[in-house]
């Protein structure tokens, strides 16, 4: 009996240590647009202060690349990466590829491979994880209300062009920076996209789920998925992150309190699964200047600028901060 008790005790200690290690290595992040959007253009100091105040260790942001695979704002991008490094914040760069139009599949692969090599040589010492294109599942699906769970939901021509480009870039990047990790995003239940990535031999490491409140409970979804996090882990054997997460439409319609309630209620349920390796709220600031063109995308921020030009915290700012403090 004593031997059994000791064995169980050692096992529980091992499990506890592994669980603590998983929490310590967790990526607590937020989305922003420091290189591409007006709301983030002239307030870098505030962005770093807010990220540090929230207790975050990663920042997900978009980067536009030229046809050579170099950031269009190269100097500014390097400056941002260096500042993030000084602040011990891991950049999760969402790379938008270009220069692939008008090429056949062989040309797309060769060109994007070279772009990946060039990107790795230029920035490989400052990055550890990247995302190649954003929400490609939505770009290659046919229009209409489709679940994204079967082959007929996807346009084969778009699929071949875009996934060949991603594969080429990732292969070139990993050939140059073997240790780099690649995450690719998927929205809602568009999981056949992940099967397509397998079919095209895309060498990525992390599934980045995009999940918003209107989609339902990611830990208890309708059949046949049930716990989507467990479903994805079993089916695809990849690390799972939530790289976009928030109340649907932010506070465009919902109150500050409702946004906060969703974030602070849903995240503990997700953490209880011991599956995900990172959560990134979308996003840090509201973007009032895009409201006219994208009326439901302007108010996702944890921070809002009021009529007096003052940056104020929404309820979810302190709510997310408290969640991070609880699990760190």
């Amino acid at each position: 009996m004593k031997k059994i008790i000791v064995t169980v005790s050692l096992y529980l200690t091992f499990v506890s240590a592994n669980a603590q290690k998983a929490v310590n290595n967790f990526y607590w992040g937020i989305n922003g647009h420091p290189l591409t959007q007006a709301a983030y253009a002239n307030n870098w100091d505030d962005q770093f202060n807010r990220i540090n105040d929230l207790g975050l260790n990663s920042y997900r942001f978009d980067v536009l690349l030229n046809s050579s695979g170099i950031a269009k704002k190269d100097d500014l991008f390097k400056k941002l990466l260096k500042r993030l490094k000084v602040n011990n914040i891991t950049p999760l760069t969402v790379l938008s590829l270009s220069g692939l139009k008008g090429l056949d599949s062989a040309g797309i692969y060769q060109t994007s491979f070279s772009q990946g090599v060039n990107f790795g040589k230029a920035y490989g010492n400052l990055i550890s994880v990247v995302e190649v294109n954003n929400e490609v599942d939505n770009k290659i699906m046919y229009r209409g209300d489709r679940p994204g769970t079967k082959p007929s939901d996807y346009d084969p021509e778009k699929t071949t062009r875009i996934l060949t480009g991603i594969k080429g870039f990732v292969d070139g990047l990993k050939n140059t920076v073997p240790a780099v990790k690649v995450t690719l995003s998927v929205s809602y239940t568009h999981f056949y996209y992940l099967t397509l990535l397998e079919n095209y031999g895309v060498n990525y490491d992390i599934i980045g789920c995009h999940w918003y409140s209107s989609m339902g409970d990611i830990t208890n979804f309708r059949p046949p998925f049930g716990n989507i996090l467990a479903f994805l882990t079993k089916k695809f054997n990849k690390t799972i992150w939530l790289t976009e997460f928030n109340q649907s439409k932010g506070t465009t319609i919902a109150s500050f309190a409702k946004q906060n309630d969703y974030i602070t209620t849903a995240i503990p349920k997700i953490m209880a699964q011991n599956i995900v390796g990172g959560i990134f709220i979308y996003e840090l600031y509201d973007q009032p200047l895009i409201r006219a063109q994208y009326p439901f995308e302007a108010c996702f921020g944890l921070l809002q600028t009021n009529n007096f030009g003052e940056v104020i915290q929404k309820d979810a700012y302190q709510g997310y901060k408290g969640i991070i403090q609880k699990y760190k």
Side-chain angles (χ1 to χ4, degrees), residues 235-290:
K235 184 172 179 60
F236 297 102
N237 194 31
K238 301 276 187 184
T239 299
I240 310 294
W241 289 2
L242 298 180
T243 48
E244 287 189 18
F245 187 77
N246 205 336
Q247 170 72 30
S248 296
K249 302 176 184 177
T251 57
T252 305
I253 299 172
S255 66
F256 288 5
K258 186 173 183 179
Q259 180 193 36
N260 181 57
D261 181 66
Y262 175 69
I263 288 173
T264 56
T265 301
I267 290 179
K269 292 175 68 175
I270 291 166
M271 295 297 291
Q273 311 305 311
N274 289 320
I275 293 175
V276 302
I279 296 176
F280 293 72
I281 296 293
Y282 188 88
E283 61 181 312
L284 185 57
Y285 299 109
D286 279 355
Q287 297 190 66
L289 293 182
I290 71 169

Side-chain angles (χ1 to χ4, degrees), residues 30 33 52 64-65 131 144 166 171 174 179 224 231 238 277:
I30 200 153
H33 307 278
N52 287 325
L64 306 179
L65 303 185
E131 183 173 335
I166 293 174
D171 287 351
K174 289 199 169 193
F231 168 82
K238 301 276 187 184

Side-chain angles (χ1 to χ4, degrees), residues 193-202 204 235-238:
Y193 167 62
L194 302 177
T195 299
L196 288 170
L197 291 174
E198 286 186 339
N199 294 345
Y200 279 79
V202 179
Y204 74 108
K235 184 172 179 60
F236 297 102
N237 194 31
K238 301 276 187 184

Side-chain angles (χ1 to χ4, degrees), residues 79-92:
K79 180 180 178 181
L80 178 59
L81 291 177
K82 289 174 182 177
R83 287 200 60 178
L84 288 167
K85 186 174 183 179
V86 168
N87 283 271
N88 294 315
I89 300 167
T90 300
L92 172 48

Side-chain angles (χ1 to χ4, degrees), residues 43-63:
N43 54 1
W44 279 19
D45 288 341
D46 188 64
Q47 289 175 55
F48 287 112
N49 290 338
R50 302 289 186 176
I51 289 170
N52 287 325
D53 179 58
L54 285 164
L56 305 173
N57 56 17
S58 191
Y59 194 20
R60 181 177 183 262
F61 57 92
D62 44 331
V63 183

